[in-house]
Amino acid sequence: MRNTKRILIVDDEEALTFSLYQTFINLPVECEVITAASGEEAQERIDKYKFDIVITDIAMPGLDGLDLLSRIKVKSPDTRVIVITAYGSDERKEQAYKRGAENYIEKPFDLHQIRDIVIKMMS
Amino acid sequence: MGSKISKQKQIFSLLHNKYGNLWNNSDTEVNDLQISKSEKFSNGYSSHLINKVYNFYKSIIQSLNSGLIALDLEGEITFINQMAAQMLDYSKEELLGKNIKEIFGKDDTSQKCIRAIFIPHKHIDDREISLKKKNGTVISVGLSSSQIHDENNNFDGIIILFRDLTEIQHLKSQVERMDRLALMGELAAGIAHEVRNPLAGIRASAQLLQEGIKNEKFQKDIVERIIREVDKANKLLKEFFKFAKPSKPNLKFHDIEILIEGVHLLLSPQMKRQKVQFHMNMGANIPKVFVDETQLEQVFMNIFLNAIEAMPEGGSINILTSCKKFDIMGKKLDIEEGPNNQLNFVIVEISDTGVGIAEDNLEKIFNPFYSSKPTGLGLGLSISSRLIDENGGNIDVNSKIGKGTTFKIALPAFIHH
């Protein structure tokens, strides 16, 4: 039984990925945090590991976040997915929830907000 | 049916020969022509039949949903139907004998059109011009003209047919407004997306700093990331303003070959690296183009860079130039001004042997923030299209998946004879 929680952050915005990484490695829960800068990179990580939580952007090079979300849900239905996006459209929000996202957060967001959501998911 | 028509033709010919101009008056009844009911023409047709045919044609002309006016060679109105009078708010009597010049709009297009209709053998086909109503207000009409010839085939008069475009223009402007609003919505969404992304990075980095990181190197690193994100957002906005408000073109005569070759030289190291060959095929007697050199270089640079990216395995870029005088890619040009002012276009075709663009995406490629490339902002081709427009040219694209893409650019060139 694995006790360490595994989190994947998928975003091509380096500054954001870095900040999220720093936030999650300092969580009170023991976490392994992995990052990916594209949908394809994320796919490779998913093929290799099982994640408890995936935080993914929508618009990314190659495979986009919504397609990635669908693939995650096929491969590992109990992985919980948080979609973070700079698109503020209801249509995308609806699509994200339809494909199994648990949260949809619009950029820019409060780091504390996403940290609280992740802690809650892990508890 | 055929024999009926030929009978009617004979009757018309008889009437024309016998009564000449009276025939042109729409209000003239056959009885006014003083044909007694019992009168028989030499070939035996009765006035009853003539009356029937006359009324048949008269009702067609009078019930036309378009205005119809006949003119003599001096431009004097010799016939007008009900709809023409109604559209112009005149009575038919007020218009008969008036010169057509009095009812044509004073704008350039209308004045050019009025000159064109008197040119022998010239037919005008649905030209958008303006006509003046009795009260001086102007209506927009689609006008066609054709010429009448007498029995010896001499140019004898002109028929003009026109329809009111007010309603169509109203609908058109509504559609344009909707398109503009839709484009504005797309633009706003595009800008919001591109700016929110770096903002998210900046906010998150600032929050990390706020949490009181002690490590100085780490602090410096985060601040540098913030600066990079601010620069990124600023670059996006700069690019966007280039699209929204390009600087006024500084138009001068330039040799298109030298201009393209200059851009090719800049990109040749990159082309070599990516195994992209470059071929230029200049047409004969290509005149100089009248454009802004820097803006055109930017356009060619964008297209060449896209072409290189579309050929990751290598390939070739082929340039073909030619010269055309008019009517390119749906843009109609008025060439009635005579040879000294003829507008000419140099056509530059830029083809690559790349991956091509799917048909569904072709119409979107000039839209701002549309990009098929993961790292592209989607502003290159929208800026290029805008710049070509500002330079008085036109740009169009054709593409086939797996075969490649061809951009066709028309640039103004003036030939002085």
Side-chain angles (χ1 to χ4, degrees):
Chain A
M1 188 72 185
R2 174 170 65 89
N3 284 329
T4 309
K5 301 285 182 186
R6 198 174 277 142
I7 301 176
L8 175 66
I9 304 162
V10 193
D11 201 309
D12 55 333
E13 280 294 320
E14 196 213 345
L16 182 65
T17 317
F18 178 77
S19 305
L20 288 172
Y21 176 84
Q22 290 300 328
T23 305
F24 298 141
I25 54 164
N26 291 313
L27 286 180
V29 188
E30 199 182 327
C31 279
E32 184 185 354
V33 185
I34 295 174
T35 61
S38 68
E40 277 81 9
E41 257 185 57
Q43 176 79 61
E44 280 174 30
R45 313 275 194 273
I46 287 159
D47 289 342
K48 212 166 168 185
Y49 307 107
K50 181 171 165 56
F51 289 92
D52 297 287
I53 298 170
V54 175
I55 296 153
T56 181
D57 185 20
I58 293 185
M60 283 179 303
L63 181 67
D64 88 355
L66 290 178
D67 290 336
L68 178 70
L69 164 61
S70 302
R71 293 188 190 189
I72 293 169
K73 284 291 163 186
V74 170
K75 193 170 164 52
S76 163
D78 53 345
T79 296
R80 307 174 85 169
V81 181
I82 301 170
V83 171
I84 50 172
T85 180
Y87 286 115
S89 88
D90 291 342
E91 197 192 332
R92 280 173 198 259
K93 189 175 181 173
E94 203 178 300
Q95 275 184 37
Y97 281 123
K98 246 186 205 165
R99 295 183 190 211
E102 207 142 319
N103 278 86
Y104 179 94
I105 304 173
E106 283 181 17
K107 289 181 186 176
F109 49 78
D110 184 348
L111 271 187
H112 300 136
Q113 181 198 358
I114 200 160
R115 184 170 58 193
D116 292 346
I117 292 170
V118 168
I119 291 174
K120 211 172 161 189
M121 279 180 175
M122 290 194 295
S123 60
Chain B
M1 195 71 184
S3 67
K4 263 191 186 174
I5 291 167
S6 71
K7 265 185 196 171
Q8 286 170 3
K9 274 187 183 166
Q10 284 176 37
I11 292 163
F12 265 82
S13 160
L14 276 169
L15 282 169
H16 187 80
N17 291 340
K18 190 165 182 180
Y19 299 105
N21 280 337
L22 277 168
W23 184 241
N24 283 326
N25 189 339
S26 65
D27 293 332
T28 312
E29 295 292 343
V30 173
N31 284 343
D32 299 338
L33 304 176
Q34 294 168 342
I35 303 167
S36 76
K37 282 203 170 171
S38 57
E39 188 176 352
K40 300 258 182 183
F41 289 95
S42 52
N43 60 5
Y45 295 122
S46 70
S47 65
H48 174 71
L49 179 60
I50 296 167
N51 214 356
K52 224 172 143 182
V53 175
Y54 173 84
N55 283 324
F56 174 69
Y57 281 99
K58 185 182 158 192
S59 70
I60 288 177
I61 289 170
Q62 293 303 342
S63 62
L64 272 181
N65 208 14
S66 298
L68 188 140
I69 293 178
L71 311 171
D72 65 17
L73 291 178
E74 271 72 52
E76 206 169 273
I77 298 174
T78 55
F79 173 85
I80 178 157
N81 76 344
Q82 191 57 45
M83 184 48 86
Q86 199 182 313
M87 275 158 68
L88 297 167
D89 269 351
Y90 281 98
S91 69
K92 285 196 273 186
E93 293 71 26
E94 283 173 318
L95 280 170
L96 282 170
K98 229 183 208 335
N99 196 294
I100 193 71
K101 286 177 186 161
E102 293 176 49
I103 63 162
F104 261 61
K106 293 278 171 239
D107 57 287
D108 272 4
T109 322
S110 305
Q111 290 301 310
K112 268 182 199 168
C113 179
I114 203 168
R115 288 196 292 272
I117 61 175
F118 290 101
I119 300 171
H121 308 296
K122 178 100 191 158
H123 292 258
I124 303 288
D125 189 24
D126 212 16
R127 181 81 52 93
E128 203 174 313
I129 63 137
S130 61
L131 294 180
K132 269 191 297 184
K133 285 163 77 162
K134 189 179 177 181
N135 64 7
T137 57
V138 167
I139 54 163
S140 176
V141 298
L143 179 141
S144 303
S145 80
S146 52
Q147 299 180 348
I148 312 168
H149 294 92
D150 64 15
E151 57 273 23
N152 298 319
N153 208 25
N154 294 319
F155 183 15
D156 199 24
I158 295 134
I159 299 274
I160 61 176
L161 193 67
F162 54 96
R163 63 197 169 94
D164 194 344
L165 295 180
T166 317
E167 187 58 23
I168 293 172
Q169 278 193 335
H170 180 63
L171 288 172
K172 214 166 112 186
S173 70
Q174 266 186 332
V175 171
E176 276 170 6
R177 194 170 155 267
M178 298 297 281
D179 280 351
R180 270 203 309 275
L181 284 174
L183 184 66
M184 263 172 66
E186 252 175 66
L187 275 179
I191 297 170
H193 178 258
E194 297 301 329
V195 175
R196 269 175 173 169
N197 261 324
L199 278 183
I202 293 166
R203 194 183 201 286
S205 304
Q207 270 192 290
L208 276 187
L209 286 177
Q210 195 184 33
E211 282 174 7
I213 292 160
K214 299 276 183 302
N215 183 327
E216 227 176 85
K217 190 184 167 293
F218 195 40
Q219 276 183 359
K220 209 177 148 208
D221 192 29
I222 294 175
V223 171
E224 272 169 12
R225 282 170 204 273
I226 292 178
I227 293 169
R228 276 206 296 275
E229 292 299 306
V230 171
D231 289 347
K232 199 163 143 187
N234 189 39
K235 188 182 166 213
L236 170 271
L237 291 176
K238 262 192 190 163
E239 285 293 308
F240 178 70
F241 281 121
K242 257 197 233 167
F243 162 76
K245 202 169 182 277
S247 54
K248 206 168 168 271
N250 177 17
L251 301 174
K252 282 184 182 149
F253 285 103
H254 293 283
D255 187 322
I256 191 74
E257 190 177 5
I258 295 174
L259 219 146
I260 295 174
E261 197 47 58
V263 180
H264 170 223
L265 269 179
L266 282 175
L267 292 176
S268 63
Q270 196 175 338
M271 288 188 186
K272 221 173 187 174
R273 265 199 314 274
Q274 297 201 222
K275 297 190 180 90
V276 171
Q277 301 203 332
F278 187 86
H279 306 285
M280 189 137 83
N281 190 353
M282 289 289 290
N285 304 321
I286 300 295
K288 288 191 170 181
V289 287
F290 194 58
V291 294
D292 182 307
E293 186 182 18
T294 319
Q295 293 186 345
L296 258 289
E297 279 172 351
Q298 195 187 340
V299 171
F300 289 124
M301 180 72 88
N302 282 336
I303 295 176
F304 290 172
L305 283 172
N306 282 348
I308 295 170
E309 281 190 58
M311 299 183 284
E313 310 293 323
S316 63
I317 295 176
N318 297 297
I319 314 284
L320 191 71
T321 59
S322 56
C323 184
K324 290 234 166 90
K325 278 185 183 156
F326 55 90
D327 211 14
I328 172 80
M329 292 171 278
K331 189 165 181 170
K332 281 191 181 170
L333 299 165
D334 223 332
I335 56 162
E336 285 144 16
E337 289 289 291
N340 290 333
N341 291 320
Q342 263 187 16
L343 263 177
N344 290 267
F345 278 79
V346 166
I347 313 294
V348 185
E349 286 177 50
I350 306 159
S351 308
D352 65 49
T353 54
V355 290
I357 305 162
E359 208 179 324
D360 287 354
N361 295 335
L362 260 189
E363 60 184 42
K364 297 185 217 153
I365 65 164
F366 295 116
N367 289 355
F369 297 112
Y370 173 78
S371 178
S372 59
K373 292 175 285 180
T375 50
L377 280 178
L379 286 175
L381 282 179
S382 58
I383 291 172
S384 299
S385 156
R386 181 80 201 263
L387 290 179
I388 292 292
D389 210 35
E390 292 279 317
N391 278 265
N394 205 336
I395 182 164
D396 201 1
V397 63
N398 271 307
S399 190
K400 264 204 171 132
I401 287 283
K403 297 262 179 209
T405 303
T406 299
F407 282 92
K408 210 178 200 184
I409 300 174
L411 298 169
F414 296 89
I415 295 178
H416 297 282
H417 295 265

